[in-house]
Amino acid sequence: MNIVPPVHRLRGALPTIGIRPAIDGRRRGVRESLEHQTMAMARSVAALIHKELRHASGHPVECVIADTCIGGVSEAARCADKFSRSDVGATITVTPCWCYGAETMDMDPLHPKAIWGFNGTERPGAVYLAATLAGHAQKGLPAFGIYGRDVQDTSDTAIPEDVQRKLLLFARGGLAAATMRGASYLAFGGVSMGIAGSIVDQDFFQSYLGMRNETVDMTEFVRRMERSIYDPIEYGHALTWVKANCSEGPDLNPPDQQRSRAQKDADWETCVKMALIARDLMIGNPRLAELGYEEESEGHNALASGFQGQRQWTDHLPNGDFLEAILCSSFDWTGIRQPYIVATENDSLNGATMLLLHLLTGRAQMFSDVRTFWSPEAVQRVTGHTLSGDAAGGIIHLINSGASALDASGRQKTNGASVMKPYWDITPDEARACLDATRWYPADLGYFRGGGFSSQFTTCGGMPCTMARVNLVRGLGPVLQIAEGWTVELPEAVDQALQDRTSPGWPTTWFAPRLTGSGPYADVYSVMNNWGANHGAISFGHVGADLITLASILRIPVDMHNVPEMQVFRPAVWSRFGALDPQGADYRACAAYGPLYA
């Protein structure tokens, strides 16, 4: 299985980071003495970002540095002009010295902004940082302030570790915000079973994410299947690959209700066509133009999508579980490639959360029902097993028939530990291991009368992960909730006993959130009891701090999180809304500034 080279799927260029070296504009010795140090700071930040970050597509992140240091409004204007022609999506201003704040600051209202003021004694970089952050606050242009904890010598060209962390937090968030702008969320169908998240709120996507909304009726899948509007060569290759790599699990339906072998084979053919068609609808396919379908070849420039499925589709035709799971995974018949984001039941809010996590991490994402809280007492009563370790306080059963990426089986490894890697780090053997760990169970005909197949695996334990969810609240707008924790591995008999009580033909992840002893993280029950919807998006790694930074850029308050306070990084002006009450300040600041693209 080959690794597909990075492909930029969207129309337009990838966003870049603009680096703005600000300087004391006084000539006759002052500016001249600072030119080298200031530009060196800019180059070191650009080198750090280029080395450490990639776009979710796999492309390295490029930085654009102003042609000259910025000592006043004229040079600031020349820098802004260059950035406007260089696809800059976020900016970082750097300086080791005092500069003229309001004359050198970035005034673009749509650019996420950060300022690194060098902590040195020779020149007052911290004074510029404070003065300019005050200017940003006064002008209503929030900016992130970066100031190293320890004093550095003027000759020290290293970026301290704490400064690096904040630079990268900001850059990841800024790039994620910039990548979404102008892209689409594509809804396949409409509202699924009355689920609130699948009532697609166009104002949320437009005002907060800068995205447009596209909708196609699910009958478009029927049209394209019946009229063969897909690449027949790829379809043949994909079907052969599926037969060789996607093993069926046992049929758990009552024997008198099971579909025949011929029906199941036909279902596989339909499921593979649905996956091809969903992908083509999202990003287009030049092969369709060669086949005479030029309009269809364009796609919808979709960065994320959702498939309604239930019930109008699944009461009559095979379910969308295969298309969701395989597209959300990091590999298929084309090779190891960037995952797609496809939300089950067209839950656009969970899809949006999956998208935020994917853009921040580059990894495949898991979509799950936040299904059941299992207390230690309940597990003991049902199985006789005593939970321990991360699971000592209880576990949450994450399970859903649809878009759990196969990566979430946990069969990719780093130093023997289970992980979910960005696609460019996945080996063919690891992709194979994820496929081998997955069985495709014939669809539960009680849920899916039209047949199809659902993936089933049990996630390996010990993986750090972050569960998140955007919710919409009337009168408040969007809010984000975050729960960092770990996957848990249960003894096989215990695992099977608990799965058999619900839907054993679906993928299972046992999740233990990190507890803080207070509020919604007082215990595991409280985490589930305070969760805002029936679904959650789950990413590998403890990336709650990244989510909080991105949420502040987008002006989405965080209603609950268990991220250590020292890791939280928001625009400096958030403290002015209540430094003694960070969560309340977050709500007040987001309300005051409003959606980024309103």
Side-chain angles (χ1 to χ4, degrees):
M1 192 180 296
N2 63 302
I3 298 179
V4 177
V7 176
H8 179 44
R9 297 169 176 165
L10 300 179
R11 305 297 184 263
L14 288 165
T16 63
I17 298 284
I19 312 294
R20 308 175 71 258
I23 199 167
D24 190 326
R26 288 172 285 201
R27 298 284 185 171
R28 301 185 182 181
V30 176
R31 174 169 177 154
E32 290 83 351
S33 68
L34 296 163
E35 289 274 6
H36 176 76
Q37 182 184 6
T38 305
M39 192 59 77
M41 284 181 69
R43 294 192 183 102
S44 65
V45 170
L48 171 72
I49 291 172
H50 185 75
K51 176 185 176 184
E52 296 294 334
L53 299 187
R54 290 200 198 194
H55 293 280
S57 64
H59 292 88
V61 174
E62 301 296 339
C63 294
V64 179
I65 302 175
D67 292 332
T68 67
C69 291
I70 301 168
V73 291
S74 179
E75 288 163 318
R78 283 199 290 270
C79 173
D81 179 62
K82 179 178 183 178
F83 286 2
S84 70
R85 292 180 281 104
S86 304
D87 304 303
V88 167
T91 65
I92 301 174
T93 299
V94 301
T95 188
C97 60
W98 167 253
C99 318
Y100 304 156
E103 297 181 19
T104 60
M105 63 193 286
D106 177 8
M107 294 287 288
D108 190 313
L110 297 183
H111 280 166
K113 313 172 205 330
I115 305 171
W116 173 25
F118 186 80
N119 185 359
T121 56
E122 289 80 3
R123 298 282 184 174
V127 177
Y128 170 78
L129 176 64
T132 309
L133 289 174
H136 277 285
Q138 191 167 331
K139 293 176 180 291
L141 300 169
F144 291 78
I146 301 173
Y147 181 58
R149 183 177 182 85
D150 298 318
V151 172
Q152 291 181 261
D153 297 331
T154 302
S155 59
D156 188 353
T157 59
I159 303 178
E161 186 175 337
D162 61 328
V163 172
Q164 288 189 38
R165 176 182 171 275
K166 290 182 176 180
L167 286 168
L168 295 176
L169 268 175
F170 169 77
R172 280 191 291 265
L175 286 169
T179 301
M180 289 185 287
R181 186 180 178 192
S184 301
Y185 176 87
L186 176 61
F188 303 126
V191 180
S192 174
M193 301 183 296
I195 293 172
S198 66
I199 304 171
V200 180
D201 189 295
Q202 297 200 17
D203 184 61
F204 163 69
F205 279 92
Q206 176 181 322
S207 299
Y208 286 89
L209 307 184
M211 297 176 67
R212 69 171 71 225
N213 293 90
E214 299 283 305
T215 302
V216 295
D217 192 89
M218 289 184 293
T219 55
E220 178 65 6
F221 283 80
V222 176
R223 183 181 80 92
R224 293 195 184 205
M225 286 190 289
E226 292 186 351
R227 302 191 181 199
S228 298
I229 306 176
Y230 51 82
D231 182 350
I233 296 175
E234 184 183 5
Y235 165 66
H237 173 56
L239 187 60
T240 299
W241 183 90
V242 167
K243 289 179 178 179
N245 293 279
C246 297
S247 301
E248 282 189 29
D251 193 334
L252 302 180
N253 292 289
D256 62 333
Q257 297 179 22
Q258 294 178 8
R259 293 163 77 82
S260 69
R261 184 68 257 169
Q263 287 175 312
K264 291 175 182 176
D265 290 342
D267 284 353
W268 271 122
E269 294 175 1
T270 300
C271 289
V272 172
K273 291 175 185 177
M274 288 168 64
L276 292 174
I277 291 167
R279 182 206 60 196
D280 291 350
L281 281 164
M282 287 182 70
I283 66 169
N285 186 346
R287 274 286 288 145
L288 298 184
E290 298 172 11
L291 297 169
Y293 299 104
E294 189 168 354
E295 179 182 356
E296 290 86 346
S297 72
E298 288 289 341
H300 289 267
N301 199 38
L303 197 53
S305 66
F307 185 73
Q308 175 196 330
Q310 298 188 71
R311 283 185 43 197
Q312 288 74 19
W313 180 273
T314 56
D315 277 6
H316 180 57
L317 292 162
N319 62 17
D321 290 10
F322 176 77
L323 84 82
E324 294 162 11
I326 201 67
L327 289 180
C328 285
S329 300
S330 299
F331 39 82
D332 61 16
W333 49 88
T334 64
I336 301 171
R337 44 88 179 130
Q338 181 187 2
Y340 296 84
I341 300 299
V342 187
T344 299
E345 295 157 347
N346 193 29
D347 184 346
S348 62
L349 295 179
N350 218 55
T353 313
M354 292 168 70
L355 177 58
L356 301 183
L357 287 163
H358 173 61
L359 293 176
L360 289 169
T361 67
R363 305 173 198 266
Q365 301 302 312
M366 183 167 65
F367 180 115
S368 283
D369 278 353
V370 186
R371 176 67 68 95
T372 308
F373 164 65
W374 278 97
S375 69
E377 295 78 12
V379 173
Q380 177 71 37
R381 177 181 63 81
V382 170
T383 69
H385 177 69
T386 300
L387 296 176
S388 60
D390 293 332
I395 50 178
I396 295 174
H397 193 181
L398 304 177
I399 179 172
N400 193 282
S401 65
S404 287
L406 273 57
D407 307 55
S409 63
R411 268 58 176 191
Q412 299 160 25
K413 303 290 182 179
T414 296
N415 297 325
S418 295
V419 298
M420 293 170 63
K421 298 180 178 180
Y423 83 89
W424 54 84
D425 287 335
I426 297 172
T427 68
D429 285 345
E430 289 172 328
R432 161 62 53 199
C434 293
L435 287 162
D436 288 345
T438 305
R439 293 291 179 270
W440 296 89
Y441 281 58
D444 181 335
L445 297 177
Y447 283 101
F448 307 119
R449 300 173 186 173
F453 294 89
S454 299
S455 60
Q456 199 288 322
F457 56 77
T458 301
T459 302
C460 293
M463 291 200 301
C465 54
T466 301
M467 183 168 74
R469 167 77 185 190
V470 172
N471 296 294
L472 286 178
V473 181
R474 185 171 182 176
L476 176 62
V479 290
L480 176 68
Q481 49 189 178
I482 300 167
E484 294 184 340
W486 296 267
T487 61
V488 172
E489 196 158 332
L490 300 177
E492 184 175 353
V494 176
D495 172 87
Q496 196 61 54
L498 299 184
Q499 289 197 48
D500 284 345
R501 293 174 65 97
T502 177
S503 299
W506 295 354
T508 275
T509 303
W510 303 108
F511 175 63
R514 182 198 299 120
L515 303 178
T516 65
S518 64
Y521 300 96
D523 53 29
V524 180
Y525 170 82
S526 296
V527 175
M528 180 152 180
N529 197 41
N530 281 280
W531 204 249
N534 53 311
H535 293 149
I538 299 90
S539 181
F540 175 83
H542 289 161
V543 295
D546 292 274
L547 270 177
I548 290 171
T549 295
L550 175 55
S552 67
I553 289 172
L554 301 173
R555 320 283 169 71
I556 299 174
V558 177
D559 66 300
M560 57 181 268
H561 73 81
N562 57 351
V563 178
E565 200 60 43
M566 289 297 294
Q567 295 181 18
V568 174
F569 187 42
R570 292 183 170 117
V573 71
W574 260 233
S575 293
R576 306 288 73 75
F577 287 87
L580 298 178
D581 175 22
Q583 186 175 35
D586 185 31
Y587 274 82
R588 290 185 285 273
C590 290
Y593 290 111
L596 181 59
Y597 303 105

